[in-house]
Amino acid sequence: MITIQQIYDATDNGLRIIKYFYPQAIEGKAFSVRDGEKTPSAYIKEIKGVWRLTDFGQSDEAQSPIDIIMKELNVKVGEAIYWAAREFGVSDDVITKKKNIAKIERREATTDETDGLFTFSEKEFTESELRLLGNRVTAKNCENLSWMSLEYYRRTKKDKNTNALMTTTINSTDNYPVFMRKCVYLDAKGEPQHFFKIYQPLDAEKQYRFFHEGNKPPKYINGLSELKARYKKHNEEAREIFDKDPKNAHKEYKAQKLSEAFICSGERDALCIDALGYSPIWFNSESYNLTDAEYYELKKYVDRIYNIPDIDETGIRKGRELANKYIEIYTVWLPDTLRTYTDNRQRPRKDLRDFVEIWKEKKDFDNLVNLAMPVQFWETKYNKGVERLEINSDFLKNFLSMSGFYRIDDKTTKQGFSFIQVRGNVVYKITHYDIIDYLSKFSVERYLDIDVRNLINNSVRISENSLNRLSKVELDFTDFTFESQYFYFQNIAFNVKADEIIQLRPSELKQYVWEDEVIPHKVSRLDPAFAISEIEKGVFDIAIHHQQSKFMNFLINTSRIYWRKEFETQFADNLDSDEAKAYRAAHQFDLSSSYISADESYEQRLHLINKIFALGYIFHRHKRKNRAWCVFAMDNKIAEYEECNGGSGKSIFTNFPTMFMKTAFISGATPDVIKNTHIYETVTDHTDYLLIDDADKYIPFRFFFDAVTNNVKVNPKFGKNYTVDFDNAPKYAISSNFTLDRFDGSTERRVLYTVFGDYYHQQTDSNGYLESRSVYDDFNKNLFSNEYSEDEWNADINFMIDCTQFYLSTLNRTVKIQPPMKNVIARNLRANMTDVFYNWAEVYFDKEDGYVDQQIQREKALNDFANDTRQMKWTTNKFSAAIQSFCRYHKYTLNPECFLNSARRNTAKIEGKSVEMIYIQTKDTIAKNDYEKLIPESDESGKSKLPF
């Protein structure tokens, strides 16, 4: 128990507390404690060893630091003390193994000490022992519940090693008090029996605080015998008064129940209840299962039973279970603020003994009792002797909260909230009809009278408007940290980190999860399917350990950029030969082959590593500005800009996360989609993933890339606008048969490419393929279909976890694993040029006969392009950008350094006028005669920059 003096000792005699609330306070000078005060009127001064504040603007009375806390925080003295203890680091007498140890004596047993002998010596309770047991607890309260303080206890037993009979004495000390309770019960014959319960509350090892001596029955309720004694005494006294009243001369006395009894969570809670003047009962553990017979026996002695659960996770769960089992029990919930303080084991406070230590007045506890309610949501009302059933609105609200029904803020709805039911740590979104159905089902399962069932059907207190007043709850749905990601399954949860994967039972989870985020499979952990190593900085390689995952095998084949060298070049004349079939069977899912080079094999492995990295990025919900990317799935095959490849597996890849994440879908079929003002209407704070699938070539992708690094503004059709903050916004992915519409630095920063080879393809008369191949052909089933077995799901889910773990392992470095970019860049350059320009430039700038390796006027080239192609609307800038892309595509040099002036432009004087020029260098050197037709301008110094 923390004292006020301890607080002052830790805060410079209270000066730090005063300056916490009034940092403007200066010793010896007046200062203001109220806004707008013209003349400062407050002073601080040390009086009798404690700093105090006097505010002469209000009173001449000096306020202590504790008084100031009580005033500023509007709390009582006990809470003020423990608030100061928390804020200024004052600990209760912390229990340690070094300090809190018993004084133990061990010796050989005497001749009169037999095996199993238990003896003890009782003593008076000390003041410190009573304070330890609880606020207000006295020796009389201990006597009421058959507790005694021991000087020592002795046990005689045979030594396991020597077989010698030894006697051990445990002596009580100030740091290790020992208490014992005599527990009385009736045996099967109705004879009184007893056993002892020893309690050592300061043992540093919590499991050694209790043990029993004697024959304890399998089922035993502590305090029941004392409750019966109180009941008997109460009725003896009441009968005596009844019999003395002449009016009752010919009447029979009817036994009267006690008003109430309180189920407590432990020994000290029970003593505190007795000290408050009530009758306690308690069980030997939180897992004790109160039987119907025991419950109805308790009801024989009291009108009302209260339960006071601990407010830790287990206590709350067991409190709900008991309340729902016996719906007439009133539950007393301790305030949540209690857990903001710590006990002498440095753990959050949770029980009644903790409560009465901080809130010391009996009224504080009685206020909690006044708020207690049963799960039974109806009550009997009497009006002029007429009995009528009525739903109690507060009781109904309590019933529903005990059953997990609440409101939760939901900015996607008109009313700003949704109804939910919480079952364990899983949250289900429901409607008010679900609540009514639950009540009806409850009434049938509990065999409630027809009057109660009709009350449910007919009462206006069970309507949507009434249910709108359900308790509101805030729940933590966070399933990730900077360095970890949770995955929830039907049987288990995985907390995935870079260096470990922690498996958790649902009961071990602290956070909540929406029903549709629980992956509907039972999962067991497999060994990792692969290992990716960094062979040098930024350079990775992969080793495949096993190939149980069909999805991983699919990704392997989509990464086989050089598959044609294996399957077609080598067997072009005999695709159906036994040799060809045997090779394909042996190398069905393989990134290496004797038919491709080591470099080509490594390039294929890099494609797989990139896809694994991209999946891990998507599955990790944590977002950072410097790692905010849109995964863009594209084809490796370089085709005409207008040509649509398709069928390579991009959509299967980008749809894979949708089976495990809450996803918003946007159709990419038309570029007009970005004109939809409600485009993000399905995005909420709980949306993990946003997929634009099969995006049209004319979609301005930058529209989405801008959102990748910003908040998402949502405009629902039937609700209020709201914003999803960047931290909660989804991760983006786009699959397209076409390339990006822009290819600049801003775009590149936001894109994480994944590239798909054409291993899966459809043969046509014009595309040159020798056969067709689909994903179905590889597996004889569609991936993730109804044909999928649980083992196949388990393998793919484990692969997902492996991908996530690999991505997490890269977080401590600036790593963005792109695929081999050769064809990515080529396809984007082709897209920037357009097919019209590319086809024209291939002729106009032909390496042998075109306008290359010479100076030409840019305006002439643009005019020639416009006249040749009828593209009259091209601007100079667009034409210049296409020229740049063409040169990059062919690895030509545009405007070599020797042609650039100080402004970094290639210009020449023609007829006295400065003209923009183009020089496309295709050769290694520049010959003298290449300059004879048009000579570039000299630089500002007047000297020619020509190399000859």
Side-chain angles (χ1 to χ4, degrees):
M1 182 179 294
I2 295 172
T3 65
I4 292 177
Q5 189 57 52
Q6 285 177 282
I7 300 297
Y8 290 160
D9 290 344
T11 57
D12 297 336
N13 296 328
L15 181 61
R16 290 173 60 199
I17 295 176
I18 295 175
K19 291 194 173 184
Y20 177 94
F21 291 101
Y22 309 117
Q24 69 273 29
I26 303 174
E27 299 90 307
K29 292 186 178 181
F31 61 94
S32 297
V33 295
R34 289 176 301 280
D35 294 336
E37 189 177 39
K38 294 182 179 179
T39 304
S41 59
Y43 296 85
I44 58 173
K45 183 178 181 180
E46 192 171 15
I47 303 172
K48 294 183 180 180
V50 176
W51 285 89
R52 299 174 187 270
L53 180 146
T54 306
D55 180 10
F56 290 102
Q58 285 193 333
S59 171
D60 293 342
E61 186 175 347
Q63 302 172 61
S64 73
I66 296 297
D67 292 332
I68 291 170
I69 297 172
M70 292 169 64
K71 182 186 76 172
E72 292 294 334
L73 301 182
N74 192 29
V75 296
K76 295 183 177 181
V77 62
E79 195 170 1
I81 292 170
Y82 282 90
W83 177 90
R86 184 184 65 205
E87 292 297 320
F88 296 98
V90 180
S91 302
D92 207 341
D93 196 10
V94 179
I95 296 173
T96 66
K97 291 182 180 181
K98 184 176 181 180
K99 180 185 66 176
N100 299 101
I101 55 175
K103 181 182 177 183
I104 302 174
E105 299 171 356
R106 197 162 186 265
R107 58 172 173 78
E108 290 187 3
T110 61
T111 55
D112 58 343
E113 291 176 329
T114 57
D115 189 13
L117 179 67
F118 175 80
T119 59
F120 59 88
S121 175
E122 188 178 356
K123 67 176 185 63
E124 296 291 326
F125 283 93
T126 66
E127 287 300 316
S128 63
E129 288 176 340
L130 293 173
R131 283 197 302 273
L132 174 66
L133 290 173
N135 182 44
R136 308 168 70 97
V137 172
T138 65
K140 177 61 177 173
N141 300 127
C142 297
E143 180 185 347
N144 290 345
L145 298 181
S146 306
W147 282 104
M148 59 190 84
S149 175
L150 299 186
E151 181 180 357
Y152 67 83
Y153 65 85
R154 289 194 183 115
R155 303 175 81 184
T156 302
K157 294 177 66 177
K158 284 186 178 181
D159 187 284
K160 292 181 180 179
N161 297 321
T162 66
N163 210 34
L165 202 59
M166 304 295 293
T167 295
T168 302
T169 302
I170 307 296
N171 296 281
S172 175
T173 68
D174 289 342
N175 291 327
Y176 197 91
V178 180
F179 308 114
M180 188 173 74
R181 179 171 181 268
K182 184 177 182 181
C183 304
V184 178
Y185 65 97
L186 298 178
D187 62 16
K189 298 179 180 179
E191 298 293 327
Q193 303 291 338
H194 73 269
F195 63 93
F196 294 111
K197 184 172 188 177
I198 291 81
Y199 180 30
Q200 299 161 154
L202 297 186
D203 196 304
E205 301 290 345
K206 288 190 70 174
Q207 65 268 32
Y208 300 132
R209 290 178 304 157
F210 299 101
F211 70 89
H212 297 93
E213 188 66 40
N215 296 318
K216 183 178 79 70
K219 298 281 287 182
Y220 181 77
I221 298 178
N222 294 282
L224 180 57
S225 62
E226 288 82 0
L227 180 67
K228 290 178 180 178
R230 291 188 185 193
Y231 172 82
K232 180 180 178 182
K233 181 180 179 182
H234 170 74
N235 276 285
E236 286 174 350
E237 293 172 351
R239 178 187 285 275
E240 185 176 349
I241 295 171
F242 180 88
D243 289 344
K244 286 181 179 180
D245 189 339
K247 296 178 183 179
N248 300 326
H250 302 290
K251 296 180 181 179
E252 181 180 359
Y253 173 76
K254 294 182 179 180
Q256 301 176 16
K257 294 182 180 182
L258 298 171
S259 298
E260 70 282 304
F262 287 81
I263 300 174
C264 304
S265 65
E267 331 297 323
R268 293 193 286 182
D269 284 12
L271 283 166
C272 290
I273 284 294
D274 192 88
L276 289 164
Y278 300 111
S279 300
I281 55 174
W282 68 104
F283 310 130
N284 285 321
S285 71
E286 286 184 305
S287 61
Y288 188 89
N289 182 29
L290 183 68
T291 65
D292 290 350
E294 290 169 332
Y295 173 73
Y296 290 117
E297 183 179 12
L298 291 174
K299 287 292 292 180
K300 286 195 304 187
Y301 308 122
V302 295
D303 276 327
R304 182 175 292 179
I305 298 174
Y306 291 91
N307 180 36
I308 315 175
D310 289 351
I311 55 170
D312 59 356
E313 182 181 351
T314 303
I316 292 171
R317 185 179 74 253
K318 299 304 290 187
R320 288 175 178 271
E321 288 176 3
L322 186 63
N324 283 311
K325 184 176 181 181
Y326 300 109
I327 61 176
E328 293 179 343
I329 288 180
Y330 281 64
T331 304
V332 179
W333 291 111
L334 301 172
D336 291 338
T337 51
L338 179 62
R339 289 186 59 77
T340 64
Y341 306 105
T342 56
D343 60 17
N344 55 7
R345 295 180 188 272
Q346 297 301 294
R347 296 176 181 175
R349 291 178 177 262
K350 62 176 183 176
D351 58 26
L352 177 66
R353 188 262 180 194
D354 293 324
F355 174 85
V356 297
E357 185 173 321
I358 298 173
W359 291 274
K360 299 177 182 294
E361 299 178 20
K362 183 176 185 296
K363 183 180 178 182
D364 295 326
F365 175 72
D366 288 344
N367 286 338
L368 294 183
V369 174
N370 191 48
L371 294 176
M373 286 181 282
V375 162
Q376 179 175 302
F377 52 85
W378 69 93
E379 58 186 347
T380 303
K381 294 286 189 179
Y382 296 92
N383 184 15
K384 298 179 180 180
V386 178
E387 181 180 300
R388 178 171 55 87
L389 289 182
E390 186 176 295
I391 286 179
N392 182 306
S393 296
D394 258 11
F395 287 3
L396 175 63
K397 191 174 177 181
N398 180 63
F399 167 83
L400 292 173
S401 66
M402 283 290 200
S403 301
F405 291 100
Y406 301 98
R407 288 181 302 142
I408 192 169
D409 284 336
D410 186 350
K411 52 193 177 185
T412 68
T413 64
K414 282 186 178 181
Q415 62 268 39
F417 66 84
S418 290
F419 293 122
I420 60 169
Q421 186 182 20
V422 181
R423 303 178 203 165
N425 71 313
V426 180
V427 181
Y428 300 77
K429 189 172 283 191
I430 59 170
T431 68
H432 75 282
Y433 295 111
D434 295 310
I435 298 175
I436 295 171
D437 288 345
Y438 182 88
L439 286 165
S440 297
K441 184 178 179 182
F442 176 87
S443 69
V444 172
E445 289 177 345
R446 294 298 181 101
Y447 305 105
L448 300 182
D449 291 341
I450 186 64
D451 292 341
V452 177
R453 302 202 301 275
N454 277 326
L455 199 60
I456 294 170
N457 295 327
N458 302 325
S459 176
V460 294
R461 294 182 180 177
I462 307 178
S463 65
E464 183 174 9
N465 287 337
S466 297
L467 293 175
N468 285 345
R469 293 189 290 272
L470 267 179
S471 299
K472 188 177 283 189
V473 67
E474 293 182 6
L475 303 175
D476 180 11
F477 290 96
T478 306
D479 60 357
F480 60 87
T481 67
F482 166 76
E483 57 185 12
S484 70
Q485 177 66 52
Y486 283 86
F487 294 98
Y488 306 102
F489 305 97
Q490 289 180 334
N491 62 321
I492 202 167
F494 288 159
N495 181 14
V496 181
K497 300 182 178 182
D499 55 356
E500 66 174 334
I501 296 176
I502 303 169
Q503 300 187 39
L504 299 161
R505 296 187 301 274
S507 61
E508 297 175 301
L509 292 168
K510 303 299 182 185
Q511 66 273 43
Y512 293 87
V513 56
W514 289 103
E515 171 200 12
D516 55 1
E517 291 188 2
V518 177
I519 299 169
H521 298 283
K522 293 184 177 180
V523 177
S524 59
R525 183 66 178 134
L526 302 176
D527 291 335
F530 59 84
I532 298 175
S533 56
E534 191 169 13
I535 52 182
E536 59 182 83
K537 187 174 182 180
V539 180
F540 297 86
D541 205 349
I542 186 170
I544 304 297
H545 292 331
H546 67 76
Q547 294 183 254
Q548 296 181 53
S549 168
K550 285 182 166 51
F551 182 68
M552 184 184 75
N553 290 335
F554 155 77
L555 292 184
I556 286 173
N557 281 348
T558 65
S559 302
R560 296 172 83 165
I561 307 304
Y562 300 102
W563 67 271
R564 298 192 81 168
K565 294 180 68 173
E566 296 182 75
F567 289 0
E568 290 189 355
T569 304
Q570 299 302 322
F571 304 102
D573 298 329
N574 53 354
L575 284 179
D576 294 326
S577 68
D578 291 342
E579 181 185 2
K581 291 178 181 178
Y583 178 84
R584 287 195 292 268
H587 298 271
Q588 187 178 15
F589 307 110
D590 198 348
L591 294 171
S592 299
S593 168
S594 59
Y595 295 139
I596 61 176
S597 69
D599 287 343
E600 290 169 337
S601 173
Y602 179 62
E603 184 178 340
Q604 294 187 151
R605 296 199 299 277
L606 288 181
H607 277 289
L608 178 60
I609 292 170
N610 157 256
K611 292 181 179 73
I612 288 170
F613 179 83
L615 285 171
Y617 164 74
I618 291 171
F619 283 121
H620 186 211
R621 275 288 277 125
H622 185 269
K623 296 190 69 182
R624 286 190 292 172
K625 289 282 188 178
N626 68 320
R627 297 177 81 91
W629 307 313
C630 175
V631 174
F632 190 88
M634 61 182 290
D635 292 308
N636 181 68
K637 184 180 178 182
I638 300 174
E640 295 298 321
Y641 182 58
E642 297 291 331
E643 182 180 339
C644 171
N645 288 319
S648 59
K650 300 183 298 296
S651 289
I652 294 176
F653 171 82
T654 54
N655 274 280
F656 180 67
T658 68
M659 293 179 287
F660 311 110
M661 307 176 77
K662 192 171 286 189
T663 304
F665 295 90
I666 295 178
S667 172
T670 169
D672 289 340
V673 67
I674 67 166
K675 298 178 182 178
N676 180 4
T677 58
H678 310 292
I679 187 170
Y680 292 125
E681 67 176 332
T682 60
V683 176
T684 73
D685 285 337
H686 303 290
T687 304
D688 303 322
Y689 183 49
L690 189 145
L691 175 59
I692 303 103
D693 194 20
D694 198 18
D696 184 88
K697 64 182 175 181
Y698 294 116
I699 284 185
F701 294 115
R702 189 176 180 85
F703 172 86
F704 298 107
F705 294 156
D706 288 343
V708 167
T709 52
N710 291 294
N711 301 336
V712 178
K713 295 181 179 179
V714 183
N715 176 27
K717 289 179 183 176
F718 307 108
K720 297 178 181 178
N721 294 359
Y722 58 89
T723 298
V724 178
D725 293 337
F726 169 78
D727 290 341
N728 293 319
K731 291 192 174 179
Y732 286 68
I734 299 173
S735 71
S736 180
N737 295 328
F738 305 94
T739 56
L740 297 175
D741 59 329
R742 295 184 61 167
F743 192 52
D744 54 32
S746 175
T747 299
E748 291 299 288
R749 285 195 302 273
R750 291 173 168 88
V751 176
L752 174 58
Y753 291 100
T754 57
V755 174
F756 290 75
D758 56 345
Y759 178 89
Y760 297 111
H761 59 268
Q762 182 67 38
Q763 179 195 21
T764 68
D765 293 337
S766 59
N767 63 14
Y769 292 120
L770 302 183
E771 84 285 279
S772 298
R773 186 182 299 107
S774 70
V775 177
Y776 188 95
D777 296 331
D778 272 343
F779 304 104
N780 293 317
K781 63 176 68 175
N782 291 314
L783 295 179
F784 324 122
S785 65
N786 292 334
E787 305 167 83
Y788 237 46
S789 70
E790 276 303 306
D791 286 342
E792 288 169 327
W793 275 112
N794 189 60
D796 284 349
I797 288 170
N798 271 269
F799 174 71
M800 169 190 74
I801 292 167
D802 294 338
C803 293
T804 307
Q805 187 168 42
F806 168 66
Y807 174 76
L808 293 171
S809 73
T810 69
L811 291 179
N812 59 353
R813 292 159 294 168
T814 306
V815 174
K816 179 182 181 183
I817 302 179
Q818 295 279 30
M821 294 294 289
K822 178 176 63 178
N823 280 9
V824 173
I825 294 171
R827 289 200 74 205
N828 283 326
L829 291 172
R830 285 287 299 271
N832 278 1
M833 284 183 271
T834 75
D835 282 342
V836 171
F837 177 87
Y838 174 77
N839 292 330
W840 172 83
E842 284 288 284
V843 176
Y844 194 82
F845 297 114
D846 180 74
K847 190 172 182 180
E848 299 298 329
D849 302 319
Y851 290 101
V852 294
D853 299 313
Q854 59 180 292
Q855 287 275 47
I856 63 170
Q857 295 183 49
R858 183 178 65 182
E859 185 177 0
K860 175 187 182 319
L862 176 56
N863 289 335
D864 289 346
F865 168 72
N867 292 328
D868 293 343
T869 64
R870 303 287 186 251
Q871 300 290 319
M872 301 301 181
K873 295 184 179 181
W874 275 53
T875 65
T876 300
N877 287 340
K878 184 175 181 179
F879 182 76
S880 295
I883 292 284
Q884 291 174 358
S885 294
F886 179 82
C887 291
R888 286 186 63 190
Y889 185 80
H890 284 292
K891 298 183 180 178
Y892 297 159
T893 300
L894 176 63
N895 297 327
E897 185 72 24
C898 61
F899 288 101
L900 302 180
N901 61 22
S902 58
R904 308 296 298 167
R905 295 168 62 191
N906 180 6
T907 61
K909 289 282 187 181
I910 299 178
E911 298 177 356
K913 184 179 179 181
S914 180
V915 177
E916 293 284 345
M917 309 299 293
I918 294 173
Y919 189 102
I920 296 177
Q921 180 186 348
T922 68
K923 300 176 181 178
D924 293 337
T925 60
I926 301 173
K928 180 177 180 179
N929 61 2
D930 292 334
Y931 296 90
E932 290 179 348
K933 293 180 182 177
L934 294 171
I935 305 299
E937 294 182 275
S938 61
D939 63 14
E940 294 175 356
S941 66
K943 295 179 180 180
S944 173
K945 298 194 298 178
L946 298 181
F948 43 80

